Amino acid sequence: MLEIHRASLKRNRVDGYGEVRVTLLYNPATLHQWSMGPINSSNVNEMWWFLQCILPALKLYLIGVKALLYQLFNNPLALPVLPAQNGKVAIVTGGARGMGYETVRHLTRLGMHVIIASNHDNEGLTAVKRICEERNDAQVEFEHLDLASLRSVRQFVKKFKHRGLPLHVLVNNAAVMLVPETKTEEGFEQHFGINYLGHFLLTSLLLDTLKQSGQHDSYSRIVTISSSAHHMGQLSLKEAERRHSYSPHAAYAHSKLALVLFTYRLQQELTAGGFPVTANVVDPGMVDTALYRHLCSPAQLAKKLVARLLFWTAAQGASTAIFAATAAELEGVGGCYLHNGRRARSAAASYDEALQAHLWTQSCRLAGLLPEPCRAD
């Protein structure tokens, strides 16, 4: 028998976002009461379900409220005049809609050749048509990429490299949020597989092209979209792709923390190797996109009530990613967590170098890569 001896809820303020942690101290030697009667298996199951499923949802919504309060009192980033990007090539995952689409639109306006990488073929082709209708000289195209399949990621990279194009900007934007418990083609939990592992493999396989395309006065750039939700993320790498009790809220947060950890470790490797490539991670804020379609009904209702007032538009949400991909102020600058155009502190756990290294090694194993894909051959 197992029972709770004491539970404490502690909140730490981290640069405008709260980090909510629950500490549970178990005392198997004594038995207390969770409710008004003797503890039994039903009580324990209900308590376990609450801790594993309901509590992560409450924590995630609390972080969302704090993000909205920030947006209530702060204007979204107004992009400055950005340098022309003529002759440069970018890949934007999830570029067929939402923030990804707005990122593609702006990069093409700056003269960049942009490849939309998405598994939504019809939307991708429609996005290309719309952008070309806006600008006759727009260089934009669509290529199929399914981040839920590591096989698809490898095929996409093989096809891209066969063309012999350079690559100056990679925007890891695609994501799923709060999806029901489902698996990727290789059997990974979807948030982990799509949001994190698919992008990990894509970035790793494209690193050689990014390194070759960058110059020491014009670095190639990797921009990865995370979320303030990473503040509640925790990683259990022994079971990274499967947990005993599924919570979509926790799974989303874990995947976004993994992206921050990966970005920091990646920048360390790039700096150590002297490569002209930078890696930064972006928190876009609370943005009104289709990403929220899996919210529960009460949360959907609440979102509709406040979205027009407090949520940022897709174009506003994309502004920091566009800034990170092109701004002269960030030339040669990597390893940053960017929110609303400014450097910010990420979750304390994201700076744990041992956790970064462990995630790196385990991710290489899961993706079928050598342990250090960044290092020079």
Side-chain angles (χ1 to χ4, degrees):
M1 299 277 300
L2 195 65
E3 52 109 28
I4 289 187
H5 179 57
R6 185 176 78 243
S8 63
L9 183 63
K10 179 171 65 177
R11 183 180 65 185
N12 297 323
R13 183 174 176 81
V14 182
D15 279 4
Y17 290 116
E19 187 174 6
V20 181
R21 297 176 179 175
V22 172
T23 303
L24 297 175
L25 303 181
Y26 297 99
N27 184 356
T30 60
L31 291 177
H32 288 234
Q33 293 180 343
W34 173 253
S35 60
M36 291 302 293
I39 195 164
N40 54 47
S41 59
S42 177
N43 297 141
V44 171
N45 290 336
E46 289 176 5
M47 179 180 66
W48 182 253
W49 178 78
F50 174 82
L51 294 176
Q52 296 295 311
C53 299
I54 301 301
L55 192 58
L58 296 176
K59 291 163 68 176
L60 186 62
Y61 294 144
L62 176 60
I63 289 173
V65 168
K66 292 183 177 182
L68 290 177
L69 288 175
Y70 173 88
Q71 293 179 193
L72 176 63
F73 297 105
N74 294 271
N75 293 323
L77 171 67
L79 283 171
V81 176
L82 296 168
Q85 303 292 313
N86 297 316
K88 292 188 175 182
V89 178
I91 294 173
V92 180
T93 67
R97 60 188 179 189
M99 291 190 302
Y101 174 74
E102 295 297 336
T103 301
V104 173
R105 285 183 67 207
H106 206 107
L107 293 181
T108 56
R109 289 175 188 168
L110 294 172
M112 198 174 286
H113 175 185
V114 184
I115 298 170
I116 296 173
S118 171
N119 66 330
H120 300 287
D121 293 20
N122 291 335
E123 289 186 0
L125 294 171
T126 300
V128 170
K129 182 179 178 180
R130 289 170 59 192
I131 293 171
C132 289
E133 287 174 350
E134 290 179 2
R135 294 181 62 90
N136 293 331
D137 60 345
Q139 292 182 281
V140 58
E141 58 183 290
F142 170 80
E143 289 289 349
H144 181 84
L145 169 66
D146 184 2
L147 289 164
S149 165
L150 299 184
R151 175 178 51 84
S152 176
V153 174
R154 293 181 185 277
Q155 290 174 346
F156 173 87
V157 172
K158 182 179 180 180
K159 186 175 181 180
F160 174 78
K161 289 186 174 182
H162 183 72
R163 299 176 62 181
L165 290 172
L167 181 61
H168 304 92
V169 173
L170 172 62
V171 182
N172 293 320
N173 166 80
V176 294
M177 184 173 78
L178 308 186
V179 295
E181 186 173 13
T182 47
K183 303 295 184 182
T184 66
E185 183 177 287
E186 289 77 19
F188 300 109
E189 188 277 321
Q190 283 234 354
H191 293 92
F192 178 82
I194 295 174
N195 296 356
Y196 172 67
L197 193 61
H199 281 125
F200 173 87
L201 179 60
L202 178 68
T203 304
S204 298
L205 295 178
L206 290 171
L207 269 177
D208 56 348
T209 307
L210 285 159
K211 291 186 290 188
Q212 293 165 9
S213 304
Q215 301 175 6
H216 287 285
D217 60 348
S218 181
Y219 278 54
S220 296
R221 304 187 188 195
I222 301 166
V223 180
T224 297
I225 310 302
S226 182
S227 164
S228 59
H230 88 278
H231 282 280
M232 62 163 279
Q234 296 177 343
L235 291 180
S236 176
L237 293 172
K238 292 181 180 179
E239 299 182 90
E241 68 277 14
R242 186 178 190 278
R243 289 172 179 264
H244 294 299
S245 184
Y246 180 73
S247 163
H249 303 82
Y252 176 71
H254 302 330
S255 71
K256 291 300 183 178
L257 174 59
L259 288 171
V260 182
L261 288 160
F262 167 56
T263 299
Y264 291 166
R265 173 68 186 208
L266 176 59
Q267 186 58 57
Q268 291 175 18
E269 295 290 335
L270 292 167
T271 301
F275 300 119
V277 184
T278 59
N280 289 301
V281 62
V282 167
D283 170 6
M286 297 286 284
V287 184
D288 191 11
T289 70
L291 194 63
Y292 294 91
R293 64 187 178 277
H294 293 291
L295 286 173
C296 63
S297 297
Q300 284 280 13
L301 178 60
K303 174 190 173 292
K304 290 180 180 178
L305 294 174
V306 302
R308 291 187 179 182
L309 295 175
L310 298 178
F311 277 53
W312 286 342
T313 65
Q316 291 169 335
S319 60
T320 298
I322 296 164
F323 183 78
T326 60
E329 294 93 317
L330 291 176
E331 184 60 57
V333 178
C336 299
Y337 182 84
L338 302 171
H339 175 245
N340 204 22
R342 302 181 181 90
R343 299 185 198 185
R345 290 279 297 177
S346 53
S350 67
Y351 297 104
D352 185 336
E353 293 189 0
L355 185 57
Q356 293 170 12
H358 191 39
L359 175 64
W360 182 280
T361 301
Q362 293 297 322
S363 300
C364 288
R365 178 182 63 81
L366 295 173
L369 295 173
L370 295 174
E372 295 178 346
C374 280
R375 293 200 180 278
D377 295 333

